[in-house]
Amino acid sequence: CSSDLERLKCTVDDLPTRGYWIMSAGVAAYGGDAASEGAVAAVAEWGADLSRHESRPVNPQILHATDDVIAMTQSHAMALALRYPGFGPKARLLCGEEDLVDPIGGNAAVYRDCARTIHTHIERLIMEWVES
């Protein structure tokens, strides 16, 4: 994660002052759920902290305020289009044309692989956002 922020020449706390608000919201999420232990452990290896993360359901206000919507799966993108037509930009997949494999129920290696995949695609997105 630090190499991504080096490209932006700022810290995580500085992102909003540079115009970057990165939010997470789920199409099937209930508000207030903690991240899974596997996710917390996997991202900690990348220097990130999910220990205080709480889930939030997506809503029209969030979508309306976004510049980019990134979905983990095609079914998530379709659910957004069906539930919230006309709110925010069309969702695109994190992994290009492929769904991100959900690590739920997997062991530590599965969570690490998922975190690595997310990190790879986030690096690509950061370059897109910075260059645009």
Side-chain angles (χ1 to χ4, degrees), residues 95-120:
C95 299
E97 299 295 320
E98 298 179 21
D99 287 353
L100 177 67
V101 176
D102 192 336
I104 294 294
N107 61 24
V110 171
Y111 275 92
R112 276 189 210 103
D113 186 50
C114 184
R116 188 177 313 108
T117 299
I118 292 170
H119 185 269
T120 297

Side-chain angles (χ1 to χ4, degrees), residues 62-111:
I62 290 172
L63 292 171
H64 184 69
T66 63
D67 293 318
D68 205 355
V69 176
I70 308 300
M72 301 300 110
T73 67
Q74 189 65 39
S75 64
H76 292 158
M78 289 187 323
L80 289 168
L82 290 172
R83 288 184 205 164
Y84 305 104
F87 287 94
K90 180 181 178 185
R92 58 188 177 130
L93 295 182
L94 173 71
C95 299
E97 299 295 320
E98 298 179 21
D99 287 353
L100 177 67
V101 176
D102 192 336
I104 294 294
N107 61 24
V110 171
Y111 275 92

Side-chain angles (χ1 to χ4, degrees), residues 24-26 28-35 50 52-58:
S24 171
Y30 294 104
D33 289 341
L50 283 180
R52 291 176 284 163
H53 175 79
E54 291 185 3
S55 65
R56 104 180 84 218
V58 69

